[in-house]
């Protein structure tokens, strides 16, 4: 039907007869001559209708936005003064000889040719229209290019692409499973996989050596801008490589990806930071290194002050007191500081103390704050020196339980860095390593796995049993601009260690056999040392395209309530289907209104 695509034509095609197909992006009637910008996924071409061809001109008069056309004509240069340098095809136009309306269109629910802000619910309801927009087409093209590059790299490094099942078994991985009832196995259920974790470990035991998969995963969890109930990850596993070798290979892959897709040169060697250092300096295990602000521990300085807001957490083994210097922050108004105080309260902080450094050379006399009077001059002098404060700076303080301080001050650091335009550099990758194996849950009075229960510890089985809280894992996360884009670990490859980890997590022999018997059996048959990593493909593409939500880089995403407005899912199923599956729905109890006496 067509000889060329709309975005392909240029001055090399002058004089050629061409055939184009596409949508009417914009129509302009200039009193005797009609111009239409014809659009397909490659771009736009201006096509011209002359009244000297009355039949085609009459059709051009009748078409409207988003009509689908096929045109035949001759490529000619645009008249002098009408060249559009903002268009790839801006030096040429096509004088139409024949036109065919392939389909009409109703008025779209929102305009495609303008930058008007459209409600996201509307965009998702009419996603097939939204995806026609140039910005969305560009994002989908980048996604295609990213996936193609990653596949090519792994193919070149002798990885096998192997598919694993979507109908599998429920396993504890930190989020709820999506459950699928089985018609042929009464009262039994499949689960959609949160990841192919156990299958890829079985592939290593099978001798596949190097595996990867661009795979769909499912998690029934609360959603955020960078989360979806179904998402895509690049899943990788390899045998006979340690964590340093895996990280080095993945660095090479990511560097090549950014060089090819964005023409960006990342660091020749990504920095590596321990989990503990990241938490100490940034309050987060996924710090954005573009932001120069850091947390400085001042518990020692505050231990004996009369100000119990500071001295209490300083003396508490589970408490933390930190200071964070904001360069030129003294210019902030009281309203701005009040707004920031309200912001950190979201993360459990009870307040946000501060000091404005109006004159560093004047010592305490040069400080402005209601808290200065609560500590001796020498304490504040130590704090100023420790934070490196200068005239015009502002110092924020956090004092509370360690997790509250980390979460609130870590979030404040990011907000200040972005709002005050403090970012240094555009891309800052980082490996975070030496995560704790477990974290203690006070509510359930048990240990939980930080990553998953198949991650290998970096200590012996005896050391693990003696002090689970001190054990570190052989896990590694790749962080880019404050977002975790990939995470992995060396796996447990011995049955004795796997049993020990299960027991520490409160999984007894019977439960372990019931849920993971196939893995425990497989580990007995010569399981090689192995490890892997999974990259969040949606999140990676989101970063690379500058999108603010992964919904903008997924063709048909769900809303933040895990619904699809386009096809109106999830939806009820009929009684016959439920009976066939042996399922009966329970109706919610309705509270009776109290009767008036």
């Amino acid at each position: 039907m067509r000889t060329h695509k709309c975005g392909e034509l240029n001055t090399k095609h002058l004089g050629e007869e061409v055939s184009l197909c596409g949508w009417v992006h914009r129509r302009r009637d200039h009193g005797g001559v009609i111009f239409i910008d014809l659009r397909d996924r490659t771009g736009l071409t201006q096509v011209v209708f002359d009244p000297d061809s009355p039949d085609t001109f009459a059709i051009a008069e009748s078409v409207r936005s988003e009509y689908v056309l096929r045109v035949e004509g001759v490529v000619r240069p645009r008249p002098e003064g009408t060249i559009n340098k903002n268009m790839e095809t801006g030096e040429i136009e096509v004088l139409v000889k024949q036109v065919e309306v392939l389909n009409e269109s109703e008025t779209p629910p929102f305009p495609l040719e303008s930058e008007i802000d459209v409600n996201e619910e509307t965009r998702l309801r009419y996603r097939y229209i939204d995806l026609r927009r140039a910005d969305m087409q560009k994002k989908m093209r980048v996604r295609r290019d990213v996936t193609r590059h990653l596949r090519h790299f792994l193919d070149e490094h002798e990885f096998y692409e192997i598919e694993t099942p979507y109908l599998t078994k429920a396993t504890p991985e930190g989020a709820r499973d999506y459950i699928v009832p089985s018609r042929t196995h009464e009262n039994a259920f499949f689960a959609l996989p949160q990841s192919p974790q156990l299958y890829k470990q079985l592939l290593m035991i099978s001798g596949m050596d190097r595996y990867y998969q661009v795979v769909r995963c499912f998690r029934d969890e609360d959603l955020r801008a960078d989360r979806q109930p179904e998402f895509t990850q690049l899943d990788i596993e390899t045998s006979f490589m340690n964590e340093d070798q895996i990280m080095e290979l993945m660095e090479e892959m990511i560097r090549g990806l950014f060089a090819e897709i964005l023409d960006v040169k990342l660091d020749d060697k990504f920095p590596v930071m321990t989990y503990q250092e990241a938490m100490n300096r940034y309050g987060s295990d996924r710090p954005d290194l573009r932001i120069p602000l850091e947390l400085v521990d001042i518990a020692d300085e505050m231990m004996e002050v009369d100000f119990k807001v500071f001295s209490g957490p300083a003396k508490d083994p589970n408490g933390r007191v930190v200071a964070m210097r904001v360069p030129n922050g003294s210019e902030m108004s009281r309203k701005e500081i009040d707004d920031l105080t309200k912001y950190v309260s979201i993360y459990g902080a009870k307040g946000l103390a501060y000091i404005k450094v109006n004159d560093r050379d004047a010592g305490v006399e040069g400080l402005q704050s209601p808290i200065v009077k609560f500590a001796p001059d020498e304490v504040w002098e130590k704090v100023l020196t420790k934070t490196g404060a200068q005239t015009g700076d502002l110092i924020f303080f956090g004092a509370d339980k360690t997790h509250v301080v980390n979460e609130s001050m870590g979030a404040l650091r990011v907000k200040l860095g972005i709002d005050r335009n403090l970012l240094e550099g555009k891309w800052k990758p980082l490996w975070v390593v030496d995560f704790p194996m477990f974290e203690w849950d006070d509510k359930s009075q048990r240990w939980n796995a930080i990553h998953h229960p198949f991650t290998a510890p970096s200590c012996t089985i005896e050391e693990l049993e003696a002090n689970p809280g001190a054990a570190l894992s052989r896990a590694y996360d790749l962080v880019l601009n404050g977002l975790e884009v990939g995470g992995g670990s060396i796996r447990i490859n011995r049955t004795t260690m796997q049993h020990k980890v299960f027991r520490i997590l409160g999984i007894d022999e019977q439960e372990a056999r019931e849920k993971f018997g196939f893995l425990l059996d497989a580990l007995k048959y010569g399981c090689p040392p192995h490890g892997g990593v999974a990259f969040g493909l949606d999140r990676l593409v989101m970063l690379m395209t500058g999108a603010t939500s992964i919904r903008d880089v997924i063709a048909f995403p769900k809303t933040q309530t895990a619904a699809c407005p386009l096809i109106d899912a999830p939806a009820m199923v009929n009684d016959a289907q439920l009976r066939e599956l042996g399922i009966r729905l329970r109706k919610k109890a309705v509270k009776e209104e109290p009767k008036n006496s």
Side-chain angles (χ1 to χ4, degrees), residues 536-573:
L537 191 66
D538 310 304
R539 194 175 294 181
L540 192 56
V541 176
M542 179 186 78
L543 280 171
M544 296 179 75
T545 59
T548 56
S549 166
I550 62 171
R551 291 189 295 277
D552 279 342
V553 297
I554 298 173
F556 300 104
K558 304 291 188 291
T559 66
Q560 284 191 327
T561 59
C564 178
L566 174 64
I567 63 171
D568 197 22
M572 302 295 289
V573 298

Side-chain angles (χ1 to χ4, degrees), residues 88-257:
E88 293 290 329
T89 61
E91 294 183 87
I92 60 93
E93 61 188 19
V94 174
L95 179 62
V96 178
K97 294 182 176 180
Q98 296 290 332
V99 59
E100 178 184 1
V101 177
L102 299 176
N103 210 339
E104 299 84 9
S105 173
E106 294 184 5
T107 302
F110 47 85
L112 275 74
E113 72 273 14
S114 69
E115 295 299 319
I116 188 170
D117 191 23
V118 182
N119 174 274
E120 187 180 51
E121 182 82 12
T122 302
R123 288 179 55 202
L124 296 182
R125 186 173 300 281
Y126 298 96
R127 190 61 162 183
Y128 45 87
I129 300 293
D130 189 46
L131 285 170
R132 293 182 189 176
R133 295 190 300 118
D135 181 58
M136 290 301 297
Q137 299 242 328
K138 180 181 177 182
K139 288 182 171 71
M140 292 299 108
R141 186 166 61 251
V142 171
R143 186 183 179 107
R144 184 277 313 264
D145 293 344
V146 166
T147 306
R148 183 167 59 184
H149 176 90
L150 295 172
R151 274 195 165 104
H152 178 72
F153 177 89
L154 293 167
D155 289 342
E156 288 289 302
H157 286 79
E158 299 183 344
F159 283 79
Y160 286 5
E161 183 170 12
I162 302 175
E163 295 177 337
T164 54
Y166 277 178
L167 293 176
T168 181
K169 187 177 184 179
T171 57
E173 287 207 36
R176 296 182 185 91
D177 290 309
Y178 278 100
I179 301 300
V180 182
S182 170
R183 181 182 59 83
T184 54
H185 298 270
E186 189 176 356
N187 299 327
F189 296 83
F190 293 106
L192 298 180
Q194 294 185 37
S195 80
Q197 180 62 45
L198 296 179
Y199 284 111
K200 65 180 182 178
Q201 289 191 240
L202 293 174
L203 286 171
M204 295 304 101
I205 298 172
S206 304
M208 291 296 107
D209 197 79
R210 292 188 173 196
Y211 140 95
Y212 82 93
Q213 184 181 187
V214 178
V215 62
R216 208 72 168 157
C217 301
F218 308 85
R219 292 180 187 174
D220 188 6
E221 61 183 347
D222 296 332
L223 306 179
R224 296 198 299 262
D226 58 346
R227 295 255 177 107
Q228 279 280 293
E230 51 178 322
F231 57 94
T232 305
Q233 69 183 35
L234 174 65
D235 203 55
I236 298 169
E237 199 80 4
T238 180
S239 298
F240 307 115
M241 293 179 74
N242 62 31
E243 48 266 61
D244 292 334
Q245 293 168 322
I246 293 174
M247 290 161 62
E248 184 179 351
L249 184 63
M250 295 301 100
E251 273 188 36
E252 182 185 346
M253 182 178 74
I254 297 298
R255 274 196 299 271
L257 176 68

Side-chain angles (χ1 to χ4, degrees), residues 76 96 114 117 266 416 491 586:
R76 70 181 189 184
V96 178
S114 69
D117 191 23
L266 296 178
L416 288 170
R491 323 300 187 189
R586 294 178 58 186

Side-chain angles (χ1 to χ4, degrees), residues 27 34 36 49 55-64 99:
R27 175 186 173 277
I34 293 176
I36 288 178
F49 295 82
D55 292 341
T56 60
F57 193 82
I59 294 174
E61 285 184 309
S62 69
V63 304
R64 295 293 180 266
V99 59

